[in-house]
Amino acid sequence: MVTTASDVLVDTLIDWGVNTIFGIPGDGINGVMEALRQRQDKIRFIQVRHEEAAAFMACAYSKYTGKLGVCLATSGPGGLHLINGLYDAKMDGQSVLAITGQHFHDLIDTHSQQDVDLDKVFMDVAVYNTRVMGPDHIETVANLACRAAISYRSVAHITFPIDFQTEKVTKKHSMHNVLHHTSDVRAHSAQLPSENDLLRAVEVLNAGKKIVILAGRGALRATTELEQLAQKLGAPIVKAMLGKAAVPDFSPYTTGGIGLTGTKPSQEAMEDCDTLLMVGTSFPYMEFLPKPGQARGVQIDIDPMRIGLRYPVEVGLVGDSRRTLQAILSLVEPKEDKSFLEKAQSGMKDWWKLMEERGTRQDKPMKPQVVAWELGKRLSDTAIVAADSGTNTTWWARQIPAKQGQMHSVSGTLASMACGLPYAIAAQIAYPERQCVAFVGDGGFSMLMAEFLTCVKYQLPVKIVIIKNNTLGQIKWEQMVFLGNPEYACELQPMDYAAFARACGATGFTIDDPATCGDILDQALATPGPVIVEAIVDPHEPPLPPKITLNQAAKFAESLIRGEPNREKIIFTAVSDKVRELI
């Protein structure tokens, strides 16, 4: 049998441990598709309905498994559609390989159909980015692309001219001629920071009296070490959004999230601390961190470029979070005074009472917090939860507690809408026996809602809970609170998402009454196959920050004065939520 360049490409991916590729066929990748067809027993091709979803799925696959995610798209518009999901992977530090088709090599840059120089388009998003220059070129570049994506925890891209894909390889090298390692070997094997740097960091931590630990995505595999260090230092653990599952939300050592979607105890801990230890995060919102000069700082990160980005730390420790924390634990002195942690723990008791109060309200229209609260109580201990970007992110962050053994994620740094459903699909493909749930808004879901058909096609039992408020809620509140403007162009044309589910050949439920919310969620979670639950909620419920600033209150009031069309309803909701200071 003739060995083609496409055969070599796919065999190389298999050698790197890749067993799943997300994408859509197209004439620009026909050669690659044939190689995949011949190797169906070794590598799955998951056909999606939009290439953007394929890139999101590859990103999520990497997030949830720690392995290389791969997406495939045809030339021109197919490759261009990948961009958003690839930036999601780049900005959240995930290993993704994108493979795109390209025109016949002798027609490139001749104004031919779909003649887009995708290697130029991908210059910013990819750490390794190349165009295949001939059939004998593919093996080396494929190995380098896989190695780069995994080693740098980022995006690699290969664009492959269509005529080269089916050409015979004349000089196939041995796989051992190119240095590589298996796809699950990541930066977790990185060397520890130097002994001198560790001792300097320990000196800062030993001197602190009010220490806060800020944990992010780099700390997801360091749960035990985080809790042991929190106990030893008397330090509350605050979690960046991508670090939601780093420590269970009901752990006595955590105050939950930070930022606009965070908790009041987290914010107060940041405002009062004298020492900040950042672990596996470069949390982007500096306004929620201690003021410069207020606290001494230590930061652990595998990427030296991220150290000191948000807060002026004294000691930067370049290394794997888990191993570095283990080294610190053996050196740091235990604190006798645990009053700072105890204050945070007391604050969290009050915070959870508030969350339960908001999550059990019986108002109509139904509050979105009720849906999140009821769902959170019903998720299995090994559930994988994908959120989307919007007001739903706040309810996910606060009302759906992360349990030990669960995984939670979202488009963190890019904060892209439409990620929730593709994320959940990738999770279900990676873990067919686990409960996988997408918690999304109607705005984000409708952007890539055709991917629900992917669930039906592959009989993936993904459960999608849609917070339906018929508005781009987050954008609406940003217009009002950030600029003092009345909402504009945020209303969405309503549709029946439960009926859409049934039209796709699956199951749909509708919830509009808080009294029946729990029972309907029980039915939905117990229903075999893919399910959509549309939860019709109050569109005027604001995703309030944990502490409202005077400027936010002033802008909010200004937006009402300047002609906010739903002024009376918003005022009623705000008053009923005991946030009279806003109005």
Side-chain angles (χ1 to χ4, degrees):
M1 181 181 293
V2 173
T3 299
T4 68
S6 292
D7 294 331
V8 173
L9 169 64
V10 176
D11 286 340
T12 302
L13 296 179
I14 294 170
D15 187 57
W16 277 85
V18 175
N19 61 17
T20 305
I21 296 179
F22 305 95
I24 300 179
D27 61 352
I29 50 172
N30 276 341
V32 178
M33 293 303 303
E34 174 60 13
L36 288 170
R37 186 189 69 81
Q38 294 178 9
R39 291 160 178 79
Q40 296 176 64
D41 58 330
K42 296 180 180 179
I43 191 165
R44 296 177 295 179
F45 179 77
I46 303 297
Q47 178 214 68
V48 302
R49 304 300 287 249
H50 195 289
E51 290 91 352
E52 181 181 1
F56 274 135
M57 290 177 196
C59 175
Y61 191 88
S62 179
K63 283 187 174 185
Y64 292 129
T65 68
K67 297 180 180 180
L68 178 65
V70 182
C71 53
L72 174 65
T74 191
S75 54
L80 294 173
H81 285 163
L82 295 174
I83 286 290
N84 195 49
L86 295 182
Y87 269 101
D88 188 40
K90 173 187 176 177
M91 296 178 75
D92 280 357
Q94 300 305 314
S95 301
V96 169
L97 170 62
I99 302 166
T100 61
Q102 182 67 296
H103 217 313
F104 290 87
H105 81 278
D106 57 346
L107 292 179
I108 293 173
D109 294 336
T110 64
H111 307 290
S112 297
Q113 186 183 37
Q114 296 190 343
D115 182 14
V116 178
D117 290 337
L118 292 172
D119 49 331
K120 295 178 182 177
V121 173
F122 285 38
M123 284 176 66
D124 177 64
V125 76
V127 292
Y128 182 83
N129 176 35
T130 195
R131 178 187 299 180
V132 176
M133 303 302 289
D136 294 327
H137 191 210
I138 187 62
E139 182 183 15
T140 300
V141 299
N143 274 294
L144 287 172
C146 292
R147 187 201 306 177
I150 293 167
S151 299
Y152 294 111
R153 296 163 31 255
S154 193
V155 175
H157 170 239
I158 297 171
T159 191
F160 202 169
I162 180 64
D163 48 334
F164 291 156
Q165 294 174 25
T166 53
E167 284 194 18
K168 181 180 178 181
V169 174
T170 59
K171 297 187 297 182
K172 188 176 186 302
H173 304 99
S174 165
M175 290 293 178
H176 300 291
N177 287 347
V178 180
L179 178 66
H180 67 279
H181 44 72
T182 56
S183 61
D184 58 350
V185 177
R186 280 178 168 235
H188 306 299
S189 61
Q191 292 183 352
L192 283 167
S194 71
E195 183 177 356
N196 181 60
D197 286 342
L198 283 170
L199 292 174
R200 289 173 55 225
V202 168
E203 182 275 324
V204 173
L205 296 174
N206 284 339
K209 298 186 184 303
K210 297 179 179 180
I211 304 170
V212 167
I213 301 170
L214 176 59
R217 62 178 171 83
L220 288 174
R221 294 172 178 84
T223 302
T224 300
E225 290 76 13
L226 286 170
E227 291 190 315
Q228 288 176 349
L229 189 61
Q231 165 62 25
K232 206 167 185 180
L233 297 177
I237 302 168
V238 176
K239 299 185 293 183
M241 192 176 293
L242 291 176
K244 180 177 173 68
V247 174
D249 272 312
F250 289 128
S251 166
Y253 302 109
T254 186
T255 54
I258 185 176
L260 290 173
T261 64
T263 73
K264 186 177 180 181
S266 287
Q267 191 58 41
E268 290 176 340
M270 285 291 178
E271 292 171 354
D272 296 340
C273 72
D274 63 20
T275 307
L276 175 64
L277 171 60
M278 301 176 69
V279 184
T281 183
S282 53
F283 178 74
Y285 303 106
M286 291 181 286
E287 62 269 29
F288 294 101
L289 296 178
K291 292 180 173 60
Q294 169 194 324
R296 302 178 74 183
V298 175
Q299 184 174 352
I300 302 169
D301 205 292
I302 196 66
D303 184 355
M305 296 295 290
R306 292 181 177 269
I307 290 178
L309 279 179
R310 313 299 177 206
Y311 193 78
V313 298
E314 289 183 43
V315 185
L317 300 175
V318 180
D320 171 64
S321 294
R322 183 168 178 264
R323 296 186 65 206
T324 303
L325 287 173
Q326 288 171 346
I328 289 174
L329 274 166
S330 66
L331 298 171
V332 77
E333 298 173 359
K335 307 283 185 185
E336 292 185 8
D337 182 2
K338 301 291 200 304
S339 59
F340 187 61
L341 174 61
E342 289 165 357
K343 178 183 177 183
Q345 290 170 332
S346 176
M348 281 308 291
K349 289 180 182 178
D350 294 337
W351 179 262
W352 280 119
K353 287 179 183 177
L354 178 62
M355 292 302 99
E356 183 174 12
E357 176 188 322
R358 292 178 178 175
T360 55
R361 288 174 57 170
Q362 297 301 299
D363 309 47
K364 290 185 180 181
M366 183 170 59
K367 300 298 182 183
Q369 296 97 316
V370 173
V371 186
W373 185 258
E374 293 293 341
L375 177 64
K377 292 192 296 185
R378 289 164 169 78
L379 294 174
S380 74
D381 291 344
T382 59
I384 304 175
V385 184
D388 215 309
S389 295
T391 54
N392 68 92
T393 317
T394 298
W395 320 135
W396 160 75
R398 292 179 179 168
Q399 250 84 19
I400 301 181
K403 301 175 185 177
Q404 184 80 39
Q406 290 181 346
M407 290 191 280
H408 290 250
S409 200
V410 69
S411 175
T413 313
L414 185 62
S416 174
M417 294 175 68
C419 68
L421 176 57
Y423 269 36
I425 290 172
Q428 195 72 81
I429 288 169
Y431 301 100
E433 302 305 318
R434 293 178 69 166
Q435 183 185 63
C436 297
V437 176
F439 185 78
V440 301
D442 48 356
F445 175 79
S446 61
M447 288 181 173
L448 289 173
M449 62 191 291
E451 295 307 329
F452 186 68
L453 289 165
T454 304
C455 297
V456 176
K457 177 183 176 70
Y458 293 101
Q459 276 302 292
L460 303 173
V462 175
K463 307 300 186 262
I464 300 104
V465 178
I466 303 173
I467 299 299
K468 180 181 174 182
N469 55 15
N470 299 322
T471 185
L472 297 172
Q474 190 69 27
I475 299 168
K476 159 183 164 177
W477 295 109
E478 287 170 348
Q479 288 177 349
M480 296 172 67
V481 177
F482 290 171
L483 296 176
N485 295 332
E487 62 178 280
Y488 179 68
C490 294
E491 289 190 9
L492 298 174
Q493 177 65 29
M495 74 164 288
D496 188 334
Y497 293 101
F500 166 74
R502 294 188 286 270
C504 293
T507 306
F509 294 91
T510 299
I511 306 172
D512 60 6
D513 185 345
T516 62
C517 182
D519 290 341
I520 294 175
L521 285 172
D522 281 333
Q523 293 179 55
L525 293 173
T527 300
V531 175
I532 286 177
V533 178
E534 65 164 8
I536 302 172
V537 301
D538 185 354
H540 307 300
E541 181 69 16
L544 296 172
K547 296 182 74 173
I548 300 162
T549 68
L550 289 176
N551 182 63
Q552 289 168 336
K555 293 296 185 184
F556 186 86
E558 183 182 345
S559 71
L560 300 180
I561 294 168
R562 294 179 61 193
E564 164 57 40
N566 294 298
R567 177 170 57 183
E568 289 78 11
K569 293 179 181 178
I570 289 173
I571 289 174
F572 176 79
T573 300
V575 170
S576 66
D577 278 339
K578 301 178 182 179
V579 289
R580 294 178 175 84
E581 65 266 33
L582 284 174
I583 56 172

